[in-house]
């Protein structure tokens, strides 16, 4: 789809650039997580990201989980995660996954 409106074209370019930067940042995070949790965990995390449909969401680090604990059965090495649903103009979800005793990675959907 092409936009003739320069504002929409600029917005589309902005979104593409932000997505590209998030993917680069996530690749760095995947390399760090491979060292901490192993390749199987990272492969399962990537599968979960695909299932959740948040490929372009930037992975962040937190000192505590957000939401309620949910047991996950779709990916082998991630048995539980924390999910928080937020209502507003759009329904949003925050998913936290523990990677160390005091560290979680957070995905914003």
């Amino acid at each position: 789809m092409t936009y003739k409106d320069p504002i929409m074209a600029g917005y589309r370019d902005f979104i593409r650039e932000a997505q590209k930067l998030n993917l680069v940042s996530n690749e760095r995070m995947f390399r760090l997580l491979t060292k901490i949790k192993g390749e199987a965990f990272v492969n399962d995390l990537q599968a979960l990201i695909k299932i959740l449909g948040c490929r372009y969401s930037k992975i962040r680090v937190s000192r505590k989980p957000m939401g309620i604990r949910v047991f996950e059965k779709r990916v082998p090495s991630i048995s539980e995660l924390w999910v928080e649903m937020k209502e507003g103009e759009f329904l949003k979800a925050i998913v936290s996954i523990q990677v160390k005793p005091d560290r979680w990675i957070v995905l914003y959907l």
Side-chain angles (χ1 to χ4, degrees):
M1 175 184 259
T2 58
Y3 293 101
K4 294 182 180 177
D5 181 358
I7 293 173
M8 287 306 294
Y11 178 74
R12 184 190 68 233
D13 293 340
F14 168 77
I15 293 298
R16 283 185 181 159
E17 183 65 24
Q19 289 174 338
K20 187 168 69 172
L21 291 172
N22 286 351
L23 289 175
V24 169
S25 175
N26 289 351
E27 283 301 318
R28 284 192 304 259
M29 183 67 74
F30 291 143
R31 286 192 298 273
L32 289 170
L33 288 171
T34 300
K35 292 178 182 178
I36 296 169
K37 297 289 284 182
E39 195 170 323
F41 176 85
V42 172
N43 290 338
D44 287 345
L45 176 60
Q46 290 171 331
L48 183 63
I49 287 171
K50 186 175 181 181
I51 291 167
L52 295 174
C54 59
R55 179 173 177 235
Y56 297 111
S57 179
K58 185 174 182 178
I59 300 171
R60 300 178 189 273
V61 177
S62 175
R63 290 187 185 269
K64 61 181 183 174
M66 294 180 229
I68 59 170
R69 187 168 67 175
V70 175
F71 295 98
E72 174 61 49
K73 295 180 181 178
R74 293 176 281 189
V75 290
S77 64
I78 302 173
S79 60
E80 59 187 40
L81 43 90
W82 287 257
V83 178
E84 180 176 349
M85 301 296 288
K86 293 194 175 229
E87 290 187 53
E89 189 174 330
F90 299 100
L91 183 64
K92 297 179 187 176
I94 301 169
V95 176
S96 304
I97 302 165
Q98 191 168 17
V99 293
K100 283 186 164 185
D102 61 342
R103 292 289 187 272
W104 283 258
I105 53 172
V106 180
L107 302 167
Y108 293 87
L109 289 83

